[in-house]
Amino acid sequence: ILLASRLSAKSRKAEIILCTDGLSNVGLGSLETTENMQSAVQFYQSVGNFASSHETTINIMAIQDSNCAISALGQCATITSGSVNVLHPLEWVAEVQRIAQNPTIASNVVTKIFAPANFSVAPYKTSDSSSSSSSSSSADVFEHDGHSVSFQVGNVTADSDLTYDFVPKDTLSSITATKLPVQTHITYTRPNGMQCLRILSSEINFTNVRQDAETNMDAAIIALSAIHSSALFALSSDINAARERLTITMRMFERISKSGTQTQKEEISIFQQACRCLDRDLRNCLKDPALLQSDAISKALHRAKVAPLGEFLSGARKNVARRENGVFSDGKLREDYYNKRF
């Protein structure tokens, strides 16, 4: 993987797919002994940082039921916004084709979010804090100042989604505004090398009345934020906080589902299915903390951490046009997908 990352650095927008059937047992990234684990994790993080700085994406594919130490090996994929999957060998061809269908559309992406007055962007780790709270997004926080925060996102695809929370500095009852201004600055590099800055400004409707907020909420976005946050808490070994975030969201959705719209009910149902699977894994980790390092749990948490909004959208809200005009509009690629050979 080190050699591949150095070779790919010579060309822009490269992609690496690492296929493995077991532990790395030789060289700098050896994972065979627990004594080497910490240095190996640092090695894979350094590989990921190097690849990300050269606009390269690393994807990890492992054979199911084989111990590959995905929790350590997957670090390089996480940093470069690549995928991590544990599959049966017969599924590998289809997975490679799925990766090809979701190419990188921008690199070196940095987002800076300006929160409304009396709000902060939270929760996230600060360099001068010993708090164990985890970042509210799948990106790394590298700069913050009270009511603004910058995220180092790296490479993104059309399915990349970033979630974050606005938390009031005082009590909600003290806020009298009905609209809250929010601004986001996005700097990124296009595939052709052009460096761009995009500024998005909007006003968010605000209310102190819980019933009004829940009636008009976007269930898919709330569900995505809960899944992202829960996975990040779990990855920082705070299993109780991860389960608490899922439980709070589930209880709120139970209230809404009684009188919500059809779209809300459908999206809540999708979340409930994802929540049950993730919560089951978290409960197992509470019983046996060692499971947190297993390949199956590492895969589940990574996929939850980078889950796209499309997974939680109702059928009526899905972007059918993008799918129809995507990779499957290419006759050759469509034929290769359905005639894949093992």
Side-chain angles (χ1 to χ4, degrees):
I1 192 170
L2 180 60
L3 176 61
S5 65
R6 292 305 190 268
L7 290 173
S8 63
K10 298 179 181 180
S11 62
R12 300 186 63 258
K13 253 187 72 178
E15 194 145 5
I16 298 170
I17 300 178
L18 176 66
C19 303
T20 179
D21 63 351
L23 287 173
S24 171
N25 52 18
V26 294
L28 296 173
S30 176
L31 296 165
E32 203 165 35
T33 62
T34 56
E35 292 80 6
N36 296 337
M37 187 63 69
Q38 187 56 42
S39 60
V41 169
Q42 294 174 354
F43 167 75
Y44 290 115
Q45 287 176 339
S46 67
V47 172
N49 289 328
F50 177 84
S52 181
S53 66
H54 289 81
E55 304 176 27
T56 298
T57 302
I58 300 175
N59 303 283
I60 306 295
M61 291 168 51
I63 293 180
Q64 68 181 34
D65 300 326
S66 62
N67 179 21
C68 301
I70 291 297
S71 59
L73 185 60
Q75 294 290 325
C76 52
T78 299
I79 292 171
T80 61
S81 302
S83 64
V84 174
N85 220 331
V86 181
L87 305 161
H88 188 279
L90 294 181
E91 298 176 303
W92 278 24
V93 173
E95 177 64 14
V96 171
Q97 291 169 337
R98 279 191 288 268
I99 292 173
Q101 293 165 25
N102 195 27
T104 299
I105 59 174
S107 56
N108 301 321
V109 178
V110 176
T111 63
K112 186 169 186 178
I113 301 153
F114 294 86
N118 301 320
F119 282 80
S120 61
V121 181
Y124 56 85
K125 276 186 180 177
T126 61
S127 58
D128 56 353
S129 172
S130 59
S131 171
S132 61
S133 65
S134 174
S135 167
S136 60
S137 79
S138 57
D140 293 326
V141 176
F142 70 92
E143 182 182 315
H144 60 87
D145 63 7
H147 79 199
S148 71
V149 60
S150 295
F151 295 99
Q152 181 72 51
V153 183
N155 301 323
V156 300
T157 69
D159 288 334
S160 297
D161 289 298
L162 178 68
T163 59
Y164 50 88
D165 301 326
F166 288 137
V167 178
K169 297 178 180 178
D170 301 312
T171 60
L172 287 175
S173 58
S174 65
I175 302 173
T176 58
T178 57
K179 291 185 179 293
L180 303 175
V182 178
Q183 190 172 91
T184 302
H185 296 184
I186 307 174
T187 59
Y188 60 96
T189 303
R190 287 184 173 180
N192 62 6
M194 180 185 296
Q195 294 184 345
C196 304
L197 168 64
R198 186 175 184 182
I199 299 177
L200 305 175
S201 300
S202 64
E203 289 187 329
I204 301 174
N205 293 328
F206 178 81
T207 178
N208 285 318
V209 182
R210 187 176 73 178
Q211 184 176 356
D212 292 344
E214 292 180 350
T215 300
N216 297 289
M217 69 177 294
D218 189 320
I221 291 179
I222 300 299
L224 182 67
S225 178
I227 293 293
H228 281 179
S229 296
S230 180
L232 285 159
F233 279 125
L235 288 169
S236 63
S237 301
D238 195 344
I239 305 299
N240 288 321
R243 293 198 65 211
E244 181 182 15
R245 181 63 188 263
L246 292 178
T247 301
I248 290 172
T249 307
M250 181 66 81
R251 288 175 178 172
M252 177 179 65
F253 279 164
E254 287 174 354
R255 293 195 303 269
I256 298 171
S257 61
K258 296 177 182 178
S259 58
T261 64
Q262 185 58 40
T263 295
Q264 287 177 326
K265 291 179 180 179
E266 184 178 344
E267 293 173 350
I268 289 171
S269 176
I270 296 170
F271 170 77
Q272 288 172 334
Q273 296 177 37
C275 180
R276 281 193 290 268
C277 293
L278 184 55
D279 190 56
R280 179 194 61 217
D281 291 338
L282 294 175
R283 289 199 309 270
N284 291 335
C285 289
L286 281 176
K287 297 176 184 177
D288 182 5
L291 287 176
L292 199 57
Q293 304 301 320
S294 68
D295 287 353
I297 299 298
S298 296
K299 167 195 170 182
L301 294 180
H302 180 276
R303 291 173 70 86
K305 173 184 173 183
V306 298
L309 179 62
E311 289 187 4
F312 299 93
L313 292 177
S314 65
R317 296 180 64 191
K318 287 186 182 295
N319 191 343
V320 178
R322 187 171 75 83
R323 294 203 305 269
E324 292 178 345
N325 297 324
V327 172
F328 279 169
S329 63
D330 185 310
K332 179 64 169 59
L333 289 175
R334 184 171 60 250
E335 182 181 358
D336 288 345
Y337 181 83
Y338 288 112
N339 296 313
K340 50 185 176 286
R341 298 174 181 174
F342 302 107

